[in-house]
Amino acid sequence: MAARIAQTTGAEHTAILGLGVYRPARVVTNDEVAGPINSSDEWIQTRSGIKTRRFASDTETVQSMSVAAARDAMAAAGVAADQVDCVIVATSTHLLLTPAIGPRIATDLDMTGAAAFDISAGCAGFCHAVGMASDLVRAGTSQHVLVIGVEKLTDTIDFTDRSTAFLFADGAGAVIVGPAPEQGIGPTVWGSDGTQHHAIRQSKDWMEFFAEIEERGTDAVRPYLTMEGTAVFRWAAHSLEKVCREAIDRAGLTTDDLDAMIPHQANGRIIEIMARVLKLPESCALANDIEESGNTSAASIPLAMEALLRKGESKPGDAALLIAFGAGLSYAAQVVTMPAWKS
């Protein structure tokens, strides 16, 4: 008779227990980024909804911003380092191919022996990681999971590129996912569309860049983040309603049950379209952190969540729809209850 392999079971219910964020100190206006792209404050606001954004300094790194956000998330959740046994970092801007930044963050937080790894799902990475964390806790693989969305996009931007220079910014957000008396994280609806891989991408791979250095020397142009804004806008406007409705339905709710909607802060016009097609009730708060923070990719959902709580537009326990989409193209959505947060 074949040996039987034992299996674990974990918590029946999970929730986001605590939230912390890190916003870089430097506030950058539209006037500051408009010059190199021959633009204006009015053009940028009309096109994107952005008024300001945050740029990290040389000392504000992917690692340091993550650690700061994580400490606040742990404090808000009332969870100590020795209770966290897994760290998932969603980022596209840790610029080493290996090792991942997750283990260094875990070590800085005194999470000795915790599993720690990075995921790359573009702007949808945080929602991917929340879904994974919930499943890990319910399966008994983990006790508490630290989920971080962090980006230092200013390291990857060509500030003369009219399609990206005014959009992207820096920051970090972190949450603790763990056991809860009632379900606080709905089923994750996720997927990808590789036919649109070209819409948001690195301009060239590293081997192409090295070959260019051999041919052109110091005239070689480094890889930058590039985006086909129109393609992304059309894809998001026409594809995401179904994802949102499925996430709400799988959570056993209707749009009338939502207290807040927190979409990835990609573009103010996309946010408005999504809210309109879903016919959200007037009482439903709509996150619009892009106005002050720009597009921070994997960090945008937790940063926008914190902004709603800080401004009193939402409160812990509220039902919120999270929906994110980005490079890949990848997408993910789930309904969650708003967490405690560190002000």
Side-chain angles (χ1 to χ4, degrees):
M1 182 178 177
R4 291 186 176 180
I5 298 174
Q7 185 54 275
T8 60
T9 56
E12 183 179 358
H13 303 302
T14 61
I16 298 175
L17 305 179
L19 165 69
V21 302
Y22 182 88
R23 298 176 187 272
R26 183 185 169 200
V27 177
V28 178
T29 66
N30 286 339
D31 289 334
E32 209 172 324
V33 297
I37 58 173
N38 190 28
S39 185
S40 67
D41 172 62
E42 181 184 8
W43 184 87
I44 293 171
Q45 285 198 50
T46 300
R47 188 173 181 83
S48 68
I50 299 171
K51 294 182 179 178
T52 62
R53 76 283 289 144
R54 302 288 184 109
F55 283 2
S57 67
D58 290 343
T59 59
E60 292 171 310
T61 65
V62 166
Q63 184 172 342
S64 70
M65 291 190 293
S66 295
V67 169
R71 290 195 193 283
D72 282 352
M74 292 162 63
V79 170
D82 61 5
Q83 295 175 277
V84 178
D85 50 15
C86 181
V87 178
I88 306 176
V89 182
T91 187
S92 301
T93 49
H94 172 53
L95 299 184
L96 284 177
L97 292 176
T98 194
I101 196 64
R104 294 181 67 183
I105 292 168
T107 295
D108 279 356
L109 294 167
D110 297 320
M111 294 174 181
T112 306
F117 55 93
D118 301 356
I119 64 169
S120 178
C123 305
F126 179 81
C127 288
H128 278 64
V130 166
M132 293 169 63
S134 177
D135 288 350
L136 286 169
V137 174
R138 291 197 303 126
T141 306
S142 295
Q143 182 183 18
H144 293 91
V145 181
L146 169 63
V147 172
I148 301 169
V150 58
E151 302 291 4
K152 193 173 180 182
L153 286 153
T154 47
D155 283 343
T156 70
I157 297 169
D158 175 0
F159 285 99
T160 66
D161 180 355
R162 194 174 174 86
S163 69
T164 59
F166 65 95
L167 275 176
F168 294 108
D170 306 329
V175 297
I176 297 292
V177 174
E182 295 181 355
Q183 191 60 29
I185 301 174
T188 298
V189 176
W190 59 359
S192 65
D193 181 0
T195 67
Q196 300 295 314
H197 72 278
H198 55 85
I200 308 171
R201 67 190 189 281
Q202 185 173 295
S203 57
K204 64 188 74 171
D205 70 37
W206 291 107
M207 294 308 294
E208 289 176 289
F209 179 51
F210 298 149
E212 194 176 319
I213 290 173
E214 289 184 7
E215 182 181 335
R216 301 177 59 189
T218 57
D219 290 330
V221 179
R222 55 158 283 189
Y224 287 108
L225 176 66
T226 63
M227 185 176 72
E228 298 172 21
T230 301
V232 176
F233 188 94
R234 287 175 178 167
W235 182 88
H238 292 95
S239 303
L240 293 177
E241 179 186 2
K242 180 182 177 183
V243 178
C244 290
R245 293 198 183 280
E246 187 175 347
I248 296 167
D249 183 63
R250 292 192 65 192
L253 304 175
T254 69
T255 52
D256 289 340
D257 296 314
L258 295 177
D259 300 302
M261 178 177 174
I262 307 175
H264 164 49
Q265 304 292 290
N267 183 293
R269 291 188 295 165
I270 293 176
I271 293 170
E272 290 170 5
I273 290 171
M274 291 173 66
R276 188 166 62 247
V277 298
L278 289 173
K279 297 181 172 63
L280 297 176
E282 287 186 17
S283 59
C284 183
L286 181 62
N288 192 36
D289 190 47
I290 190 170
E291 190 174 283
E292 297 178 354
S293 300
N295 181 341
T296 54
S297 189
S300 82
I301 294 277
L303 286 172
M305 187 181 290
E306 184 270 344
L308 280 184
L309 290 164
R310 171 168 41 87
K311 294 175 181 178
E313 296 172 20
S314 185
K315 62 185 185 303
D318 281 355
L321 170 65
L322 313 183
I323 168 68
F325 54 94
L329 290 170
S330 300
Y331 56 88
Q334 62 264 115
V335 177
V336 304
T337 53
M338 293 288 275
W341 61 289
K342 182 79 183 319
S343 58

